[in-house]
C-alpha cells in the first residue's frame, strides 16, 4: 500500500470531519459545498482502491490477510457515500454530524489498512 495515498485520504477525511463538525456545531445542515468535499474524499478513496487493486494484481500481498484487507478497502470506499445519503435523509444539524462521523470512520479505516 502506498503510504502517500493513505495519508492523503486520511487527512482529507479528517478535514471533512472537522468542516462538517463545525457545521453541526453551528446548527447547520449539509450544504452543496459539503457534498463537493465529500465527492473529493470519495474520489481519493476510489484512487486508493485502484492503486491497491493494481498492487494486488502485480503480486503484492497484505501482511494481515487478503480478506481483511479487501473488507477494509471496500468499507473505506463506501463510508463517505453512505454518510452522504444519510445526511440527505436528515436535513438538520445531525446530517452534518453524520458526515463528520463518517470522516472519522474513514480515517480509522485508513489506519487499519
Amino acid at each position: 500500500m502506498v503510504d502517500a495515498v493513505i495519508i492523503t485520504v486520511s487527512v482529507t477525511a479528517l478535514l471533512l470531519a472537522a468542516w462538517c463538525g463545525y457545521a453541526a456545531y453551528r446548527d447547520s445542515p449539509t450544504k452543496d459545498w459539503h457534498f463537493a468535499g465529500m465527492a473529493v474524499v470519495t474520489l481519493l478513496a476510489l484512487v486508493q482502491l485502484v492503486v491497491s487493486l493494481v498492487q494486488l494484481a502485480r503480486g503484492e500481498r497484505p501482511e494481515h490477510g487478503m480478506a481483511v484487507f479487501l473488507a477494509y478497502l471496500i468499507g473505506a470506499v463506501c463510508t463517505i457515500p453512505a454518510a452522504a445519503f444519510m445526511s440527505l435523509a436528515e436535513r438538520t444539524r445531525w446530517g452534518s454530524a453524520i458526515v463528520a462521523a463518517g470522516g472519522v470512520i474513514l480515517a480509522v479505516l485508513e489506519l487499519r489498512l
Side-chain angles (χ1 to χ4, degrees):
M1 195 65 195
V2 180
D3 290 338
V5 176
I6 291 175
I7 292 170
T8 302
V9 174
S10 297
V11 168
T12 56
L14 289 175
L15 288 173
L16 178 67
W19 187 23
C20 290
Y22 181 67
Y25 172 76
R26 287 187 354 232
D27 202 21
S28 176
T30 50
K31 306 274 194 236
D32 290 341
W33 289 107
H34 294 117
F35 287 101
M38 287 183 256
V40 169
V41 174
T42 302
L43 181 65
L44 289 171
L46 286 171
V47 167
Q48 179 184 31
L49 175 70
V50 170
V51 167
S52 298
L53 292 177
V54 167
Q55 286 182 330
L56 289 174
R58 287 189 352 210
E60 296 180 32
R61 295 291 174 241
E63 58 185 74
H64 294 296
M66 183 71 72
V68 173
F69 178 75
L70 290 176
Y72 278 113
L73 193 61
I74 292 169
V77 171
C78 296
T79 300
I80 297 299
F85 284 120
M86 285 191 282
S87 75
L88 281 173
E90 182 63 45
R91 298 302 294 172
T92 63
R93 70 184 280 179
W94 297 108
S96 296
I98 289 168
V99 176
V104 172
I105 290 168
L106 178 57
V108 170
L109 288 172
E110 292 297 316
L111 287 176
R112 295 290 298 159
L113 281 174

